[in-house]
Amino acid sequence: MQGLPPEALEQVAAYFQALSEPTRLQLLNLLRAGEHNVGDLAQLTGYTAANISRHLAFLTHQGLLEREARGTSVYYRIADPSVFDLCDLVCGNIVRQHERTAQAGRMFAASAQPPAAPARRKGRR
């Protein structure tokens, strides 16, 4: 980011803002497999078509999606596949953080266990 003018930094911030909403990430993930129209995406996500349209417009405005009208439907597809490189990098980092947290939790739980009672020998009292 060194050397970027303030206008470019604003564009970078807007790009990250587009990725900061879980519904938009879900839409990008669905579009990763191929193009869909608003109705398809609404059905797949369980959200209203109006809600999906709003998110798709935002992603299109940021240059992440392209739209194409076909008859009465508008289809959306990924315009910038490099977004998945970024998402995979971030998601991989989050998975590693969760694994470390889970491992630390297991180690803590194991250390909090009381020591096992010694085995009793038969025949002695």
Side-chain angles (χ1 to χ4, degrees):
M1 293 191 319
Q2 278 184 325
L4 287 179
E7 300 82 25
L9 290 174
E10 286 182 28
Q11 282 185 297
V12 170
Y15 188 89
F16 281 107
Q17 183 182 7
L19 301 176
S20 70
E21 211 287 329
T23 303
R24 291 194 285 266
L25 291 174
Q26 185 179 11
L27 291 171
L28 289 171
N29 198 41
L30 289 168
L31 291 168
R32 188 177 209 164
E35 65 183 17
H36 289 283
N37 64 31
V38 174
D40 292 341
L41 293 168
Q43 185 177 12
L44 289 167
T45 61
Y47 296 113
T48 65
N51 189 7
I52 295 302
S53 291
R54 183 174 57 86
H55 288 296
L56 292 171
F58 191 87
L59 291 167
T60 301
H61 180 73
Q62 294 306 320
L64 295 166
L65 299 181
E66 294 175 342
R67 62 189 304 266
E68 180 182 342
R70 292 188 208 148
T72 59
S73 294
V74 175
Y75 285 83
Y76 291 85
R77 65 180 163 269
I78 300 297
D80 181 10
S82 69
V83 69
F84 296 120
D85 295 334
L86 176 62
C87 288
D88 290 344
L89 178 68
V90 172
C91 289
N93 187 43
I94 290 171
V95 166
R96 286 187 296 279
Q97 287 177 4
H98 281 284
E99 288 171 351
R100 285 192 299 269
T101 301
Q103 183 180 14
R106 286 190 300 271
M107 289 171 45
F108 176 76
S111 67
Q113 296 284 332
R120 297 183 75 184
R121 292 185 175 178
K122 288 187 176 181
R124 290 193 165 177
R125 288 206 156 184

